[in-house]
């Protein structure tokens, strides 16, 4: 057996001290400008089409009521506010969890557009929520009557593990 030592195997970028030899190719100096991607048109959904654990919803709804659930001040985070708002369209209603600045947008009687909203589960029921990747926009009044007798947040869901049988 040899007793000479091997240098250790290195991962990642080369150690400091390495320098590029020769001039940089002219075409590598400036990357080619990328063609802008065309924006997709939003696909609007309705309240009755919402399902648990889904995301990316865009919908227009009228705010029926808003109730503050939490209003707390903390030295690290500042002021934390959470409100539950009942919103609906011509197919049904659902509860929305609004946080901090979102509460100022979802006032009763206003019509709002939820963009990139997701469905969170709370005690087995659905709540519509908009996180940092989504947006709530106040828009002009919609011309639909809210169907208040179909509240999707009153339906309870249960998470069930499915075991696949092997033949």
């Amino acid at each position: 057996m040899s007793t000479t030592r091997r240098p250790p195997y290195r991962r990642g970028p080369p150690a400091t001290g390495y320098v590029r030899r020769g001039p940089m190719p002219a075409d590598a100096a400036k990357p080619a400008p990328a063609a802008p991607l065309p924006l997709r048109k939003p696909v609007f959904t309705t309240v009755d089409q919402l399902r648990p654990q889904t995301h990316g919803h865009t919908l227009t709804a009228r705010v029926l009521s808003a109730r503050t659930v939490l209003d707390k001040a903390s030295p690290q985070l500042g002021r934390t506010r959470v409100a539950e708002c009942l919103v609906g369209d011509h197919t049904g209603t659902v509860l929305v969890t609004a946080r901090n600045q979102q509460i100022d947008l979802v006032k009763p009687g206003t019509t709002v557009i939820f963009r990139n909203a997701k469905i969170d589960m709370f005690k087995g029921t659905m709540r519509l929520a908009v996180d940092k990747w989504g947006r709530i926009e106040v828009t002009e009044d919609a011309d639909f009557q809210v169907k208040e007798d179909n509240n999707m947040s009153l339906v309870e869901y249960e998470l069930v593990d499915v075991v696949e049988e092997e033949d």
Side-chain angles (χ1 to χ4, degrees):
M1 258 214 205
S2 173
T3 58
T4 60
R5 269 188 72 138
R6 260 196 226 163
Y9 177 75
R10 293 182 188 230
R11 287 186 169 181
T16 57
Y18 285 97
V19 179
R20 179 188 236 322
R21 287 189 175 178
M24 182 178 269
D27 59 344
K30 294 181 182 176
L37 294 174
L39 296 177
R40 289 187 319 167
K41 293 285 184 189
V43 178
F44 282 83
T45 186
T46 56
V47 171
D48 66 340
Q49 295 174 341
L50 300 176
R51 297 291 174 253
Q53 301 295 329
T54 56
H55 55 86
H57 301 292
T58 301
L59 62 131
T60 303
R62 183 176 295 130
V63 182
L64 301 176
S65 66
R67 181 175 62 99
T68 301
V69 177
L70 177 70
D71 192 355
K72 182 171 101 172
S74 73
Q76 294 87 9
L77 301 174
R79 187 172 167 203
T80 302
R81 298 185 302 161
V82 177
E84 281 187 346
C85 308
L86 185 66
V87 302
D89 63 6
H90 63 281
T91 63
T93 59
V94 68
L95 282 173
V96 174
T97 304
R99 300 178 186 279
N100 300 327
Q101 293 87 9
Q102 296 174 351
I103 296 173
D104 301 329
L105 300 174
V106 288
K107 299 289 183 192
T110 60
T111 302
V112 293
I113 298 175
F114 297 99
R115 297 193 187 275
N116 200 18
K118 63 179 183 173
I119 298 293
D120 286 336
M121 298 302 289
F122 177 73
K123 294 184 179 178
T125 61
M126 293 194 306
R127 300 283 194 273
L128 190 69
V130 178
D131 58 5
K132 67 179 182 177
W133 304 111
R135 170 185 270 179
I136 298 176
E137 300 173 2
V138 177
T139 185
E140 64 271 355
D141 287 337
D143 59 351
F144 54 78
Q145 288 291 328
V146 176
K147 185 177 181 181
E148 294 186 36
D149 58 348
N150 184 19
N151 191 341
M152 299 297 288
S153 292
L154 293 179
V155 178
E156 289 190 20
Y157 292 89
E158 183 178 353
L159 184 62
V160 179
D161 291 332
V162 177
V163 179
E164 293 183 14
E165 295 180 17
E166 294 183 22
D167 291 328

